Amino acid sequence: MQAPSKQLYQYPLHLIFHPFDGYWELKYERNQRTTLLIACMIMLLLMVTKILHAQYSGFLINFNNPKYLNSLLEVLYVMIPVLFWCVANWSLTTLMDGEGKFSEIFMSTCFALVPLLLIHFPWIWLSLVISAQETAFYYFSNALAVAWTVYLLFVGNMTVHQYTPAKTVLTMLLTLVAMAFMAFLCLLFFSLVQQIVSFVVTIYQEIVLRG
Amino acid sequence: MRKSTWNKQGWIIMGMVCLLWFSQQAAPVSADGKQDAYQYSYWGDSVPAPAAYEATSIITGKKVNAGAFKEPSDMHVTADQRVFVLDSGNGRIVEMDRNLKLVRTIDSFERDGKEEQFNNPQGLYVSDKGDLLIADTDNQRVVHLNEQGQLVKVVAEPKSDLLQADFQFKPVRVVMDKGDRIYVMAAGVFDGFMEFSADGTFSSFIGANRVQVDPVEYLWKRFATREQRSQMVMFTPTEFTNLDMDEEGFIYATSGDRGKDPIKKLNAQGTDILRRQGYHYPQGDLMYTNEAGPSRLIDVDVGDSDMYSVLDSNRGRIFTYNGDGYLLHIFGGIGNRLGQFNTPVALERAGDRMLVLDKALGEITVFEITEYGRTLHEAVRSYYNGDEDQSSVLFAKAAEMNANLEYAYAGIGKSLLRQKDYAESAQYFKRSMERQGYSKAFLLFRKELMREHFSWMMSGLFLAVAAFVTVVIVRRQKRRTTNASAK
């Protein structure tokens, strides 16, 4: 075995180029604790990349209004989709005879995000020195990163749950639907909470003003 | 007794509080204490701006000794700044000279030896030759008079297969091009403007607005029964509200609803060729409350150098755009101060002045251009005429007076680009959020930089590659020896 510090970056890199091997290792051979640590770090790095990207990427590709940039929101934009995906996927696969545990689903999802990280991070600096014609490369590599990530998600799902390819595709599509449901329920919940809070506040004000 | 004094004092105190409260509310936003002019930034936020025009006086019918205006509905200013007001309620046209002194009034004309009068005319146009065109609405005709007020022709009741049998010709606005073709905007016509040839025969419709379908409404309509459907509002194209013609004979038109394009520039075929390359589509206000609703554009006035202004009847504001569709300035408003209106209906430019006609009050507000407005217009003008050096100087001056004028920075950037100051130019383009210009300047800057530092960049790259290769070879060698020793 290599030194643990080396493992931290070598394993994810190995996984994205050899996903079948990599995910098999993830499920059956690796130390779960270390892998979870790596997964969390990947997510953290992705958040940092997202924030840096919004703030520092070149003028030609950056359409964010700096006035309304909010790092916490950027973090949420990474965290919420990943968590939603994991929860939705887990909820579904428990019903569909998937063999994956929640931690495995989370880890496989995070590892699938490595291409996004690898491609977006250098582009923060590269985008500073490109011209408008060259933004085509940026958009192309973006698309490439997304395609790669989707492929990794597919392989990860298949390996973690021990599914057939067709069933994996179906599960992934259903997961998207489930995510939409969850988003709807969350919005409903929050708007109801908001209404309750405003109701309580109103009553409190009434009492205070009367008294 | 005690109680009543308390009551009095209470009222006074309350009144004072109210006064303070309202005076705070009504305080103008701008720092210079003048009217609160504003602009929209690239991001669509409203930002303060200096006033481009300032109201100086109000002209009423009484003031010019023509008798009070009664619901005047249109106005036209000729190239030599003679002002024609269509006083609809009195059925007459009032002509004033460039100093706004009365010249004459026309309230009738002679037709076949008989005196005829106007009945609630709504639209007026004066051609370059001085010919008067009056949309004599309730008489269902367009009257064409020459400069002396003698009848040239009457256009009435167009006959065509394109028109329905029970068609009622109600002309509301009218313009004439250099070839004496007449374009009429008629009430209840959704097919565009009616084009009449020089002899007054109807030839065709041009420039119809497309039907705008609300998807939700469409869905409901699909499920509705025939009876229900007949109760629903029909999908009809939006009507135009006004039109104007520029020097080259293009028709500028406004439509009242917030469709996709409330302002259009129509060529001879009726195709919309308005340039919309500004930060936002020309449309009046970008930000509005739900109660107030979007701008309702009811008049357009084309000036020189492709600049045009539109009048928003909803909030009485005047928006001026340049030929590329960049918003230049906003002024006006609904209210009781000088420079605000009650029911603005028509807008005309008379040289450096801007005239706005108020229908309910029957008065014309005269706006004089300010130093800022003049600089900005001059800058746009010289850019339009190809004098980029002059324009960049003027843009710099305008930007000095209004740091929020992002549009001006691009002008400076363009001139710096030609002066080969690429780095500075890129910065100015960036400040102006002009991505194409920025890219061009940046590319040149990059090329220059590369050329300057090519030698050490290349040697650095070469050294880096060499170092990397050496490291790889050394490590491989090392591994081999350790492996060998392990065996």
Side-chain angles (χ1 to χ4, degrees), chain B residues 38-290:
Chain B
Y38 64 103
Q39 248 281 353
Y40 283 108
S41 75
Y42 169 83
W43 298 108
D45 301 322
S46 61
V47 289
Y53 279 93
E54 265 172 10
T56 51
S57 61
I58 285 177
I59 303 296
T60 59
K62 270 193 193 135
K63 234 184 215 173
V64 297
N65 292 324
F69 294 140
K70 192 175 163 200
E71 302 211 323
S73 55
D74 204 3
M75 180 173 59
H76 197 272
V77 177
T78 57
D80 52 353
Q81 298 191 28
R82 285 180 297 153
V83 180
F84 292 81
V85 178
L86 183 67
D87 192 2
S88 308
N90 295 323
R92 61 173 182 172
I93 298 152
V94 178
E95 183 187 340
M96 290 173 269
D97 64 5
R98 54 181 305 144
N99 302 318
L100 299 165
K101 295 272 180 293
L102 182 70
V103 176
R104 59 172 169 172
T105 58
I106 304 169
D107 53 4
S108 61
F109 58 92
E110 206 166 280
R111 186 185 186 188
D112 302 334
K114 270 184 290 179
E115 192 105 311
E116 292 205 11
Q117 291 185 331
F118 306 111
N119 188 4
N120 189 26
Q122 294 289 312
L124 169 74
Y125 185 81
V126 186
S127 76
D128 295 342
K129 291 178 288 185
D131 284 15
L132 294 154
L133 283 148
I134 301 107
D136 195 1
T137 310
D138 285 1
N139 282 335
Q140 305 196 6
R141 63 184 178 182
V142 173
V143 178
H144 181 179
L145 305 178
N146 67 9
E147 201 164 3
Q148 283 73 43
Q150 285 150 342
L151 184 72
V152 177
K153 65 170 181 275
V154 169
V155 178
E157 283 187 51
K159 297 266 183 293
S160 169
D161 298 342
L162 294 170
L163 301 166
Q164 285 172 351
D166 57 345
F167 176 73
Q168 289 264 321
F169 183 50
K170 287 230 165 201
V172 178
R173 294 279 187 262
V174 60
V175 298
M176 185 163 84
D177 68 4
K178 289 205 172 71
D180 280 359
R181 274 181 294 270
I182 298 171
Y183 299 89
V184 173
M185 186 191 107
V189 172
F190 298 98
D191 303 299
F193 296 117
M194 303 175 77
E195 186 187 325
F196 294 87
S197 54
D199 59 354
T201 51
F202 175 70
S203 48
S204 65
F205 288 109
I206 65 157
N209 276 319
R210 307 258 328 235
V211 179
Q212 309 241 345
V213 178
D214 179 13
V216 178
E217 209 171 306
Y218 182 72
L219 190 77
W220 279 117
K221 216 159 248 200
R222 289 302 297 270
F223 290 124
T225 60
R226 189 181 293 268
E227 284 77 37
Q228 283 171 326
R229 222 173 291 165
S230 66
Q231 301 269 311
M232 287 181 179
V233 185
M234 277 211 302
F235 291 133
T236 43
T238 48
E239 263 185 293
F240 286 112
T241 50
N242 217 321
L243 76 171
D244 195 10
M245 185 161 274
D246 72 358
E247 293 153 355
E248 290 154 80
F250 292 114
I251 295 176
Y252 283 70
T254 50
S255 19
D257 290 357
R258 166 69 136 255
K260 211 175 117 254
D261 308 311
I263 307 169
K264 280 184 174 166
K265 180 183 183 180
L266 304 172
N267 65 8
Q269 286 163 336
T271 326
D272 181 20
I273 53 162
L274 190 74
R275 285 157 69 87
R276 297 185 175 84
Q277 291 171 335
Y279 302 130
H280 311 280
Y281 286 173
Q283 57 184 322
D285 266 323
L286 296 178
M287 284 159 75
Y288 49 86
T289 56
N290 272 335

Side-chain angles (χ1 to χ4, degrees), chain A residues 154 157-159 161-171:
Chain A
F154 168 75
N157 248 296
M158 204 157 79
T159 317
H161 298 304
Q162 297 290 309
Y163 278 166
T164 59
K167 198 174 178 186
T168 314
V169 172
L170 182 73
T171 322

